[in-house]
Amino acid sequence: MKITFIGLGNMGAPMAANLARAGYDLTVCDLDPAKATELQSLGATFVDSPEKAVQHTDIVMTSLPGPKQIEAMAGPAMLEAMKPGSVWIELSTNNLEVERSVRAKAEKQGVEMLDAPVSGGTEGAAKGTLTIMVGGDLPVFKRCQPLLEVIGGNVMHLGDHGAGYVAKIAQVVLCYLHSVALSEALMLGVKGGVDAATMLAIIQNSTGTSYVADRYGPPLLDGTYDPGFALGLAHKDMRLTLELAQSISAQLPLCTQVEDLYGRAVKAFGPDQNHLMALRLLEEANGQYLRKQDQRETA
Ligand code: NAD
C-alpha cells in the first residue's frame, strides 16, 4: 500500500514519522522541504508538490492548518491527480461546509473520504497515542483502521461524514475554555499574594484540576507560552466552534467570550505566536505576569 502524507508541521511530521517507522511505503510533501529531512532519513520520499506526490498513491493523508488550505487541495493542486478508488484521510481541524464541498468533488473523482481529526497534541503525535475521531463510510474506515492505529491510540468511527469534525470541535473548545479558566484562577491567587508555582501546585491537587493545568500550567509559568501550537490555529478552532454553534442553533456564551479573547490576541501578537499568548492579555490587563517567583516581573 502506497501512502502520501501532506503537511509536515507540528502534528504532521511526527505522525508521518510513525508511519515511516512502521515500514509503510511513504511519500511526504510540505511547502517547506526542510520539514522532510528527518522523514527522509527514516526512508520516506519527499516530493515538492501535492499534485505529484499523490499520483499512484492508495491513501493520501493531510494535516493542514485549516479549511482554506484543505479546500485548496480539492482541485488540480491535489485531488484531481488522485487515482479513482484511492482514499483521502483528512486529519486537520476543519468545518462542515468545506467538508461537504470537498467531498462532493472527491465523489466525482471516485475518491473516498474520511474526516479524521486528531487530539493529543504534539506529544500524542510523537508517541502515536492520538485520539482520532472519524466520520465516513464504515467499510472505508475498516480498510484504513490499521493505518490510523499506527498514529492513534484511540481510533473511533463516529458515524457519517463530518461526525469527526463535529466531535473534534466539541472537545477542543474545552482546551481554550480551560486555559482561560486556569489563568484567571492563577491570577486571583497571585494577585492575592500566593506564589504562582505554589498556586499551580494547589490547583493540580484540587477538584478544579485538569489536563490543561498539568500540561499548560508550566509553560505559562516559565513564560514560553507553549510552542507546538500556534495562536492563529487556536483562534481558528474557536471560530469553527462559533460557526458550528450557529449552524445548529447552540447558544454558547462562554465560547463567544473566549473566541473574542483569542481574536484580540491574534491582532495584538500575530498568528504565529504560541497559543498561550492569548493569556498574556489577561496578564497585561492585570499588570501582573503569571510567573514563577524567580522569573517574576511586571506585565
Ligand atoms: P502547522 O502549521 O505546524 O503545520 C501545517 C503544515 O502544513 C505546515 O508545515 C505547512 O507548511 C503545511 N502546508 C500548508 N499548506 C500546504 C500546501 N499547500 N502544501 C503542502 N504543505 C502545506 O500546524 P499543526 O500544529 O501541525 O496543525 C495541523 C492541523 O492539526 C491543524 O488543523 C490543527 O488545528 C490540528 N491540530 C493541531 C494540534 C497541535 O497541538 N498542534 C493538535 C490537534 C489538532
Side-chain angles (χ1 to χ4, degrees), residues 6-15 29-32 35 48-50 62-67 69-70 72-73 77 90-94 117-123 130 168 171-172 176 215-216 226-230 233-234 236-237 240 272 275:
I6 299 175
L8 309 173
N10 288 319
M11 296 297 282
M15 286 194 259
C29 173
D30 195 281
L31 293 175
D32 179 359
K35 294 189 177 175
D48 66 1
S49 90
T62 51
S63 177
L64 296 164
Q69 293 81 7
I70 296 164
M73 291 293 172
E90 212 304 296
L91 301 158
S92 329
T93 309
N94 188 17
V118 305
S119 177
T122 48
E123 197 185 343
L130 293 167
K168 166 68 198 178
Q171 65 77 29
V172 79
Y176 310 112
R215 175 70 182 74
Y216 299 158
D226 194 33
F229 189 52
L233 292 185
K236 172 205 71 170
D237 284 350
L240 295 183
D272 297 332
H275 68 111

Side-chain angles (χ1 to χ4, degrees), residues 72-96:
M73 291 293 172
M78 187 194 91
L79 179 63
E80 288 174 17
M82 286 177 69
K83 63 178 186 186
S86 60
V87 183
W88 177 359
I89 304 178
E90 212 304 296
L91 301 158
S92 329
T93 309
N94 188 17
N95 67 26
L96 294 181

